[in-house]
Amino acid sequence: MDRRSFVAGSAAAAAALAIRPSLAQEVYPTRPVTFINPFPPGGAVDVVARPLASVLEPILKQPVVIETKAGAAGQVGAQFAASAKPDGYTLLMHIMSISGFAEVDKLFGRPVKFTRDDFIPISRFIADPMVLVVNDKQPYKTLKEFVDDAKKRPNELIFSSSGLYGALHLPTALLMKAAGIQMKHLPTAGGGPALTAILGNNSQVLVSSIAASSAQMKAGKLRPLACFGAQRAPAVPDVPTMKELGYNIEFYLWLGMFAPKGTPVPIITTLREANKKAVADPKFQQAVKNLGQDVAYLDQPEFRAFWDLSAKRVEDAVRLIGKVQG
Amino acid sequence: MEATFDSLFLGFSVALRFDVLWYAFLGCLVGTLVGMLPGIGPLAGISILLPLTFGLDATKAIVMLAGIYYGSQYGGSTTSILLRIPGEAASVMTCIDGNAMAKKGRAGAALCIAAVGSFIAGTFGVIVLTLIAPPVAAFALRFGPPEYTALLTLGLIFLAYMSTTSLVRTLLMAALGLLLGTIGIDVMTGHFRFSFNIAELGDGIGIVPVAVGLFGLGELLATPSHQVKGDVTRPRLRELLPTRKEWHESAMPIARGSVLGFVVGIIPGSAHIISSFLSYAVERRVSKHPEEFGKGAVAGVAGPESANNAASTGAFVPMLALGIPTGPVTAVLMAALLIHGVPPGPTLVNDHPNVFWGFVASMYVGNLMLLALNLPLVGLFVNLLRIPYAYLYPLIIMFCVIGVYEVNHSIVDVWIMLIMGVVGYGLKKFGFDPAPLVLGLVIAPIFEMSLRQSLIMSGGNYMIFLDYQQRPIALGLLATSAILLLLSVISSILRQRDWRAKLAQAEAVERQ
């Protein structure tokens, strides 16, 4: 038993005792709230969810527990949350890849386990634009040089990714389509191994989040050529965006909070208010800054619109890649 | 070199501060406990305690969290030796001879040797880390998919020499393990394989449920079918300590295990899991009494235990020097550094010398603490065996179930463990050794992935493994494998029956 669940347990016991007489008019939340982290500990979700939980606890006046349900590139955790009781006590923290699972299932003729409609978006916290990097042993100084060379020798250059239809594969597929180039795909078991592959020059190109590759860019081991954001990113101000370079591609590694379908509106409203306060907390902002990112908070209406747009890009990219033969 | 000592001096000035010492101790203590509890591995331990470090500075946080990691490698041997329950994949090999020693009444000796071996290997690892981290890390980066494929091929060939049973039985078990390892999402194409629409099987079958089931539960289920001696007496202090002969037998295995483990540990990826398997195979190969392996050979405890500790230190090399994780645990440690505003990467040593050298120095101190923590506990742990089996075994089963569930919060994992327990019972009854099955399961996904990645890189051309200009390491490893195979062919042609044939013959005589 860890401290958090011990605190959670004793707080819940105390709360239950205190509240028993007035059970009829209880106000959410009356017991600990659980965030489902669908990725391994220490992953992209975990490092944001933990500081968020610690600033949300005083706001919600309840412990916030992070439960890891990793597996199948985030599908296991999402499925778990989709089938959880919609009472606001089980919430999902997930990234852009949540939009792609249904499309991939359809592609392979598998029963679709959940769709986007199974979730209510609550807030977006992070949106880190992707960046295209090449190994410093490669001669390319600009995206144009890279694209021209890749056109000359189709299927010779190799790009690595965190896995098929994953966050690093999809934007690469969109670029290959837009630029009319072909490269070989070296899928690995995660963002770390994908980075290792390009550092060892076993792959030459990688589309990664800025945060994940910033240390290597600073050390000069990787050279950024283009950024996938709408504007230039503050972390790499000299790197042009895809739009500046004439490719209409936008891609972010974003992270948001979701509730299962059917969660009552008053509970969602409480959570939106709480999140709004939490992202304004300097402690949370500092924690996110330490990760090399900035808080990119969106409240429900804007987040919903953003998600629709993002999901369309993801679905397009999945269809573009199609069913991989191998 | 002088600069290194200056830096190390700086490191010790950080590591020996009272508050830093306290957090190192806390990490080592928690690590020892976490290592002992089956299922709750270092990964879970570190991530549970991660929020506790939010209030600390980066040095204290990393010192404590790393202490949990290498501390758990010490603690992991305890349940393996006493109860035959491997806390994680790395302790599987310790189960075999460690538990056999415990049955012979040498549990104390086995625990002492494991602790001392871990200490020597851990300290050796830190010294090498101090001296040669940056160049070695650059070398490790040259391990791409083809090198990995070659390394695992070598591992598989070693495997053939590993088991206590005949070659055919070993290979049969290994093949079964490899087959089980293909369950899950095909990472190259996204197809589900043998998963029967169970999402949890998409990630494949975990090593911990299989290892705990086969070794722990299988052994428990088999216990009622033979006479159990109930007269476990309280051991005297002298019996707790290894004899002079046992120390002598463990010296070389500890040395070999330390070097082997470190070398395997620095390779990015999951190769460090196989360090203890490789060490066991090596020890068995070089031993003058290979027939003792599986029946309580001291070298079978000393070698693998040292190897897995050296490997866990080696795993820090790419993390600290390059900022790339070698496995899930180092990935969490990197996340911890990130949260504290210290981005790991090639510039870590220059940007944050306090953190880097303080961390390195704390590992020297931590290893000493762990030795001091673990040796006195040996006497206490051995008393565990005095609990009557009627009480002890249900407790063990409970811990197995809770522990396995705790890893992924998955009930499917518990079922896998229970099924593997029954399988383990059957294997034991029919004289099969489950260790090659576990190794097959460990190797299968990495081997398949690196083989297919290599072929993607070369466009389907197998010559990528034999290209001595681009890939000298892969060629070297494959050449070693070929030589090993050739040697065994020659020896069988010359009809020099080796120890295994003699053993089989002896067994045949025994059965008659």
Side-chain angles (χ1 to χ4, degrees):
Chain A
M1 175 173 269
D2 58 301
R3 177 196 67 115
R4 210 174 270 284
S5 51
F6 174 73
V7 171
S10 36
L17 283 175
I19 272 168
R20 179 109 345 134
S22 58
L23 206 62
Q25 38 183 304
E26 60 182 47
V27 183
Y28 170 86
T30 55
R31 54 189 173 86
V33 177
T34 302
F35 286 175
I36 302 295
N37 162 26
F39 295 100
V45 168
D46 205 35
V47 292
V48 177
R50 288 195 190 270
L52 179 69
S54 68
V55 294
L56 270 178
E57 278 178 0
I59 300 172
L60 290 173
K61 298 194 175 57
Q62 285 292 339
V64 178
V65 185
I66 292 167
E67 195 173 323
T68 300
K69 286 266 180 199
Q75 197 169 13
V76 170
Q79 195 183 354
F80 179 85
S83 51
K85 211 168 144 196
D87 54 5
Y89 291 101
T90 307
L91 302 168
L92 175 67
M93 303 289 285
H94 215 299
I95 62 168
M96 49 64 46
S97 62
I98 189 173
S99 320
F101 296 121
E103 202 56 38
V104 175
D105 278 340
K106 265 189 247 163
L107 202 61
F108 284 91
R110 292 194 289 258
V112 174
K113 294 174 192 77
F114 57 85
T115 65
R116 288 177 51 213
D117 296 337
D118 287 313
F119 297 102
I120 303 170
I122 302 176
S123 308
R124 185 189 82 176
F125 299 101
I126 303 280
D128 195 18
M130 310 298 278
V131 61
L132 183 132
V133 293
V134 292
N135 185 294
D136 68 336
K137 292 193 190 74
Q138 299 301 319
Y140 322 115
K141 305 279 185 231
T142 63
L143 186 72
K144 189 172 176 311
E145 287 176 23
F146 157 68
V147 169
D148 288 348
D149 190 44
K151 265 189 193 148
K152 260 181 240 149
R153 29 188 207 133
N155 276 325
E156 274 189 40
L157 292 175
I158 301 171
F159 74 95
S160 52
S161 85
S162 57
L164 210 64
Y165 309 112
L168 310 190
H169 184 196
L170 299 175
T172 320
L174 289 173
L175 174 68
M176 287 199 294
K177 164 84 175 165
I181 55 175
Q182 278 166 343
M183 292 189 284
K184 279 188 277 190
H185 182 199
L186 187 72
T188 68
L195 198 61
T196 310
I198 188 172
L199 286 173
N201 206 18
N202 289 307
S203 71
Q204 288 82 46
V205 187
L206 173 72
V207 176
S208 141
S209 72
I210 290 179
S213 54
S214 69
Q216 308 293 345
M217 287 193 281
K218 266 183 214 143
K221 304 273 177 200
L222 297 177
R223 194 180 309 129
L225 297 186
C227 204
F228 285 71
Q231 290 94 34
R232 293 192 177 200
V236 278
D238 300 334
V239 180
T241 65
M242 282 290 173
K243 292 205 167 157
E244 284 174 46
L245 297 167
Y247 300 105
N248 187 22
I249 314 169
E250 239 185 272
F251 215 92
Y252 301 89
L253 193 71
W254 56 261
L255 186 153
M257 183 192 285
F258 302 86
K261 178 180 67 186
T263 308
V265 174
I267 291 180
I268 300 285
T269 312
T270 308
L271 287 167
R272 283 169 60 188
E273 297 291 315
N275 287 342
K276 199 176 286 174
K277 279 184 213 152
V279 293
D281 191 318
K283 264 192 289 179
F284 179 66
Q285 292 188 336
Q286 185 58 45
V288 172
K289 202 166 217 78
N290 286 345
L291 299 173
Q293 308 195 26
D294 286 302
V295 175
Y297 168 73
L298 286 184
D299 193 16
Q300 192 179 36
E302 296 87 42
F303 179 31
R304 191 187 287 278
F306 173 83
W307 189 25
D308 289 344
L309 207 65
S310 159
K312 206 189 148 297
R313 288 190 200 117
V314 170
E315 283 160 12
D316 283 351
V318 171
R319 275 194 291 268
L320 195 65
I321 296 164
K323 202 165 160 178
V324 176
Q325 303 297 329
Chain B
M1 187 59 72
E2 211 165 283
T4 306
F5 283 114
D6 282 349
S7 311
L8 199 58
F9 184 74
L10 166 77
F12 272 110
S13 70
V14 175
L16 291 176
R17 277 198 342 240
F18 179 74
D19 47 348
V20 177
L21 270 180
W22 165 245
Y23 284 104
F25 172 75
L26 217 60
C28 291
L29 181 69
V30 172
T32 307
L33 294 175
V34 151
M36 273 185 262
L37 298 169
I40 305 177
L43 189 61
I46 293 173
S47 32
I48 288 168
L49 287 180
L50 185 57
L52 271 189
T53 67
F54 284 162
L56 305 176
D57 65 51
T59 311
K60 284 178 205 152
I62 191 77
V63 160
M64 177 169 125
L65 295 174
I68 297 177
Y69 177 39
Y70 56 78
S72 71
Q73 310 287 322
Y74 277 74
S77 57
T78 310
T79 48
S80 303
I81 290 170
L82 295 179
L83 310 171
R84 211 179 145 91
I85 300 174
E88 52 171 337
S91 353
V92 163
M93 299 320 290
T94 316
C95 275
I96 300 171
D97 281 284
N99 191 248
M101 279 179 77
K103 283 191 176 141
K104 286 198 293 189
R106 303 298 303 154
L111 287 169
C112 279
I113 287 171
V116 172
S118 296
F119 170 70
I120 294 172
T123 310
F124 168 79
V126 181
I127 292 172
V128 182
L129 174 72
T130 314
L131 296 179
I132 57 168
V136 164
F139 175 76
L141 261 188
R142 294 176 64 185
F143 266 75
E147 286 75 19
Y148 238 82
T149 315
L151 177 73
L152 292 171
T153 309
L154 186 63
L156 278 169
I157 286 169
F158 259 135
L159 167 92
Y161 298 106
M162 189 177 75
S163 178
T164 50
T165 51
S166 75
L167 195 61
V168 177
R169 280 165 183 256
T170 307
L171 292 178
L172 205 61
M173 284 294 101
L176 188 62
L178 287 170
L179 273 177
L180 287 175
T182 60
I183 292 176
I185 298 175
D186 176 351
V187 284
M188 297 287 159
T189 65
H191 286 275
F192 275 69
R193 298 186 297 198
F194 316 114
S195 65
F196 305 100
N197 275 330
I198 301 170
E200 281 85 349
L201 283 186
D203 281 332
I205 291 192
I207 298 156
V208 170
V210 172
V212 171
L214 284 180
F215 285 93
L217 269 192
E219 178 76 10
L220 290 192
L221 292 176
T223 309
S225 62
H226 52 74
Q227 205 68 40
V228 180
K229 277 181 287 171
D231 58 341
V232 186
T233 48
R234 189 190 173 86
R236 280 189 296 270
L237 184 67
R238 198 157 44 85
E239 289 168 13
L240 281 177
L241 295 173
T243 60
R244 190 179 290 255
K245 181 168 162 287
E246 282 167 333
W247 280 128
H248 189 69
E249 281 172 14
S250 56
M252 280 318 284
I254 289 176
R256 281 188 292 261
S258 304
V259 177
L260 181 81
F262 190 81
V263 171
V264 175
I266 55 174
I267 299 167
S270 305
H272 60 279
I273 307 179
I274 64 170
S275 66
S276 58
F277 289 88
L278 285 179
S279 164
Y280 193 86
V282 168
E283 290 316 321
R284 197 173 167 156
R285 208 52 202 156
V286 300
S287 171
K288 289 197 189 75
H289 305 283
E291 69 281 358
E292 281 177 12
F293 277 74
K295 290 169 190 159
V298 177
V301 177
E305 267 305 309
S306 311
N308 76 33
N309 268 279
S312 72
T313 314
F316 287 127
V317 172
M319 176 190 126
L320 290 172
L322 298 172
I324 51 176
T326 39
V329 174
T330 42
V332 181
L333 286 173
M334 280 176 56
L337 279 174
L338 260 180
I339 286 179
H340 287 90
V342 179
T347 54
L348 176 72
V349 192
N350 295 327
D351 294 351
H352 300 276
N354 273 331
V355 177
F356 181 91
W357 291 107
F359 169 61
V360 170
S362 85
M363 288 204 283
Y364 287 97
V365 186
N367 274 296
L368 264 175
M369 281 182 186
L370 281 165
L371 188 68
L373 204 63
N374 277 271
L375 279 185
L377 287 178
V378 166
L380 186 74
F381 288 140
V382 169
N383 280 323
L384 248 183
L385 295 179
R386 292 169 69 215
I387 302 174
Y389 288 139
Y391 303 108
L392 183 62
Y393 281 10
L395 276 176
I396 295 176
I397 292 177
M398 189 186 80
F399 276 122
C400 286
V401 172
I402 295 174
V404 164
Y405 177 77
E406 197 55 37
V407 178
N408 283 327
H409 294 262
S410 160
I411 201 73
V412 174
D413 279 356
V414 177
W415 281 110
I416 292 173
M417 182 200 72
L418 294 175
I419 293 166
M420 282 299 155
V422 176
V423 172
Y425 172 74
L427 293 181
K428 199 177 162 65
K429 284 288 156 193
F430 291 104
F432 287 92
D433 178 4
L437 197 163
V438 177
L439 182 63
L441 184 68
V442 169
I443 282 184
I446 323 172
F447 184 63
E448 187 200 348
M449 186 150 186
S450 50
L451 176 63
R452 291 173 69 180
Q453 284 176 330
S454 310
L455 292 176
I456 286 176
M457 291 171 67
S458 69
N461 189 346
Y462 279 89
M463 290 309 284
I464 189 173
F465 298 113
L466 303 176
D467 181 349
Y468 69 92
Q469 274 175 345
Q470 302 286 325
R471 302 270 169 201
I473 305 173
L475 184 65
L477 290 168
L478 284 177
T480 316
S481 314
I483 291 167
L484 273 179
L485 277 181
L486 206 66
L487 283 178
S488 65
V489 169
I490 289 173
S491 76
S492 71
I493 288 174
L494 293 179
R495 296 195 171 281
Q496 283 178 338
R497 288 200 298 174
D498 63 351
W499 54 269
R500 230 178 297 111
K502 284 177 203 149
L503 194 66
Q505 197 185 36
E507 270 174 14
V509 171
E510 235 169 69
R511 279 203 196 108
Q512 285 161 5

